Amino acid sequence: MLEIIQNFGPTLLEAMGKTLTMAFYSLIFASIIGLIFGVFAVVKNKFLNILAQIFVDIIRGVPMIVLAYFVFFGIPYACKNMLGFNLTLSALEAGIICLSLNCGAYMAEIIRGGIQAVPKGQMEAARSLGLPYLTAMRQIILPQAIRTMIPSIINQFIITLKDTSILSIIGFPELVNSAKGVVALTFKSFQVWAIVGVMYLIIITILSKLAKVLERRLSYEYKHKRHN
Amino acid sequence: MNTNISDTIKISVKDLHKSFGKNEVLCGISADVKEGEVVCVIGPSGGGKSTFLRCINKLEDVTKGQIVVDEYEITDKKVDINKARQNIGMVFQQFNLFPNKTVLENIMLAPVDCKLLTKEEAKVRALELLKRVGIEDKANAYPHSLSGGQQQRVAIARALAMNPDVMLFDEPTSALDPEMVGEVLAVMKELAEQGMTMVIVTHEMGFARDVADRVLFIADGVICEEGTPAEIFDNPQQKRTQDFLAAVL
């Protein structure tokens, strides 16, 4: 075990870094996608409502592995053979696109639910003061919605972090892919996969703890205490 | 009773109809409210009182009819509804204070965001209003630490911060503990005496009798009867009004 850590530790750590890089960018884009489609789902506009619904249904209805093959192989193929130009996506780019779309769809649902959980009177009160819809959304509704959404969002972030491992199938050298290489060299699958498991566990535990702190900080009780 | 009433019509409602799906809640309501007038709307639950009030600032879309508040035709699709609403304060049954903001921030938000006042001006005004409703010591508290009566008084201050010409009250004391009703009604009464144009949906018959210049009795989506408090409470003409008053008084 120690021997593996000594010899392949740096490789695995570097791979972990790639996993985190991919997850990091994906989560940023997913949050933007989620916010846009989440708001689309609640505004008073049938067209945008349907658009959001279609997006969520499609992404939720397709396994991510299929989405990954489609983005990495299908889309460049279509560009070359049907549209007549070359598009090459690196495994990292394709991976980020997949994860962003996938996580974005679930985020949209979380954000929609969070917004709808804010009592209707809040929007009415804000609008009755003459505030425009988007101002009311930004100042009043979203800050309240975020509080209820935080646990689900963190949960989704953790799922997405773990889903980076699915992208090993398009050849991105993230943690699982690198570990496969180490197993091939050493034949010690028990030790290698145990190490990889613990690495994921550590990262995700840290993330969960951070989430708890964030959740507590955003609570009204905490703000109240600070004021008095 | 009220010497503040002028001849200028502040709110004009003509043949207002409102349906939710197939259910017609308002079936042709017409009423004018003059500047400085205090109109109390009473009637049975589900009779359309609140819907009538919510149509005035377009929280409900009107099915048919015309509503004009000052120079704003609320029922005109092209009206700048945000501008119109800045002129119409509203106080809700459930207070609807913003829990993520302090009392002061609740009051300052709209005037600053709508660029009516600078931050400093808004703060001065907010503190002034809090003093007026008797809770300046709660300026930095969050709403959840306030009693219902205090929250409703903040809500009134918040609406007043926009310096509206008209105030709408939607059952402002119905969600309050009985011992807190008085403090809210006192603030409203003071406001009425200062000449604010007010439309108040209420179940507080004593308050309506005391403060209203005119009472509308709305039932089954129409104004069943209207008149001075004395006319409505002491000598109701319609059977429907008599039955209602007999049940609540």
Side-chain angles (χ1 to χ4, degrees):
Chain A
M1 184 80 103
L2 263 178
E3 190 187 330
I4 295 174
I5 294 175
Q6 264 170 6
N7 291 338
F8 297 100
T11 317
L12 290 177
L13 277 179
E14 197 195 329
M16 180 93 245
K18 292 204 162 116
T19 288
L20 289 175
T21 307
M22 186 188 247
F24 178 75
Y25 286 112
S26 302
L27 292 178
I28 288 176
F29 291 127
S31 301
I32 296 168
I33 292 171
L35 186 61
I36 292 172
F37 283 98
V39 170
F40 277 9
V42 296
V43 293
K44 235 178 161 183
N45 182 320
K46 279 260 151 24
F47 174 75
L48 293 179
N49 298 159
I50 292 171
L51 197 69
Q53 191 61 53
I54 290 174
F55 171 70
V56 170
D57 283 348
I58 288 177
I59 298 297
R60 245 190 345 200
V62 176
M64 210 179 54
I65 201 161
V66 175
L67 186 66
Y69 280 135
F70 183 78
V71 171
F72 190 58
F73 298 112
I75 288 185
Y77 173 88
C79 287
K80 193 170 172 208
N81 295 317
M82 296 173 199
L83 301 171
F85 66 92
N86 276 323
L87 176 89
T88 43
L89 284 173
S90 71
L92 177 63
E93 288 160 352
I96 289 173
I97 293 173
C98 278
L99 282 171
S100 303
L101 288 174
N102 189 69
C103 180
Y106 289 101
M107 287 280 285
E109 280 295 279
I110 293 169
I111 289 169
R112 178 188 62 78
I115 291 172
Q116 284 173 342
V118 176
K120 239 180 81 196
Q122 291 290 313
M123 180 55 101
E124 289 182 351
R127 297 304 308 275
S128 80
L129 290 164
L131 295 172
Y133 181 84
L134 285 178
T135 309
M137 199 49 127
R138 183 169 51 79
Q139 290 269 10
I140 307 300
I141 307 300
L142 285 178
Q144 291 181 59
I146 288 215
R147 266 168 248 269
T148 55
M149 286 168 354
I150 287 279
S152 311
I153 288 178
I154 297 296
N155 200 32
Q156 189 55 48
F157 278 8
I158 289 170
I159 292 172
T160 299
L161 179 64
K162 293 203 278 188
D163 277 352
T164 52
S165 59
I166 294 177
L167 277 317
S168 61
I169 52 115
I170 57 172
F172 183 66
E174 46 69 69
L175 188 52
V176 167
N177 225 356
S178 305
K180 273 190 201 162
V182 176
V183 172
L185 288 171
T186 60
F187 300 110
K188 295 195 166 140
S189 27
F190 177 79
Q191 289 87 334
V192 173
W193 291 118
I195 291 168
V196 168
V198 169
M199 287 172 81
Y200 274 112
L201 195 61
I202 290 170
I203 294 290
I204 286 164
T205 307
I206 293 172
L207 205 63
S208 307
K209 292 279 175 259
L210 277 176
K212 277 270 175 280
V213 173
L214 190 66
E215 207 177 313
R216 206 166 49 82
R217 289 235 162 174
L218 279 172
S219 75
Y220 302 127
E221 286 72 22
Y222 178 84
K223 278 193 178 178
H224 185 58
K225 250 187 238 149
R226 246 186 8 173
H227 256 283
N228 290 332
Chain B
M1 181 191 290
N2 191 336
T3 51
N4 294 315
I5 304 176
S6 81
D7 284 335
T8 321
I9 290 177
K10 273 283 173 187
I11 305 174
S12 152
V13 179
K14 286 202 186 80
D15 193 32
L16 171 62
H17 289 255
K18 169 69 187 173
S19 306
F20 291 103
K22 283 203 176 88
N23 182 20
E24 189 168 38
V25 182
L26 298 178
C27 330
I29 284 189
S30 299
D32 289 336
V33 179
K34 292 186 179 133
E35 189 174 4
E37 194 178 17
V38 177
V39 174
C40 281
V41 183
I42 61 168
S45 297
K49 312 182 292 293
S50 285
T51 309
F52 164 67
L53 197 72
R54 291 161 58 83
C55 283
I56 296 177
N57 68 351
K58 215 185 175 189
L59 284 184
E60 302 291 350
D61 284 320
V62 170
T63 310
K64 197 184 132 208
Q66 191 196 39
I67 299 174
V68 180
V69 180
D70 269 332
E71 70 266 37
Y72 297 102
E73 187 180 341
I74 305 294
T75 38
D76 182 356
K77 282 207 159 40
K78 283 178 299 219
V79 76
D80 181 350
I81 192 65
N82 295 329
K83 260 267 170 308
R85 280 173 176 153
Q86 289 176 19
N87 191 38
I88 311 172
M90 184 154 187
V91 175
F92 299 84
Q93 183 176 352
Q94 300 296 341
F95 331 133
N96 296 343
L97 293 182
F98 308 133
N100 55 323
K101 300 197 178 287
T102 64
V103 164
L104 207 55
E105 289 165 350
N106 261 275
I107 302 174
M108 288 166 58
L109 173 67
V112 173
D113 215 281
C114 297
K115 304 209 162 51
L116 298 184
L117 301 175
T118 66
K119 250 191 164 147
E120 292 70 32
E121 290 167 344
K123 189 169 179 187
V124 171
R125 177 150 177 76
L127 289 169
E128 213 175 85
L129 285 164
L130 280 174
K131 199 166 177 190
R132 205 162 136 194
V133 299
I135 33 178
E136 66 265 51
D137 53 322
K138 296 287 183 187
N140 292 314
Y142 279 87
H144 74 103
S145 67
L146 269 54
S147 73
Q150 290 172 331
Q151 288 194 42
Q152 193 61 299
R153 284 185 282 155
V154 173
I156 294 173
R158 178 177 69 180
L160 290 174
M162 295 299 284
N163 211 3
D165 276 0
V166 174
M167 286 282 283
L168 309 176
F169 294 82
D170 190 2
E171 300 194 27
T173 57
S174 296
L176 294 174
D177 290 340
E179 74 266 29
M180 290 168 187
V181 170
E183 63 192 56
V184 172
L185 292 182
V187 169
M188 290 167 64
K189 190 174 175 187
E190 199 193 315
L191 203 55
E193 282 161 357
Q194 287 160 356
M196 177 62 79
T197 309
M198 297 161 77
V199 182
I200 306 165
V201 172
T202 186
H203 289 299
E204 298 288 332
M205 298 303 156
F207 176 77
R209 182 196 283 265
D210 188 21
V211 174
D213 298 304
R214 194 148 51 94
V215 176
L216 306 183
F217 175 71
I218 293 185
D220 309 317
V222 294
I223 297 178
C224 227
E225 191 166 350
E226 64 172 295
T228 64
E231 286 167 349
I232 296 289
F233 291 114
D234 299 333
N235 192 17
Q237 301 300 307
Q238 302 288 328
K239 174 93 175 41
R240 191 79 178 80
T241 320
Q242 291 162 2
D243 289 347
F244 173 76
L245 289 171
V248 299
L249 288 179

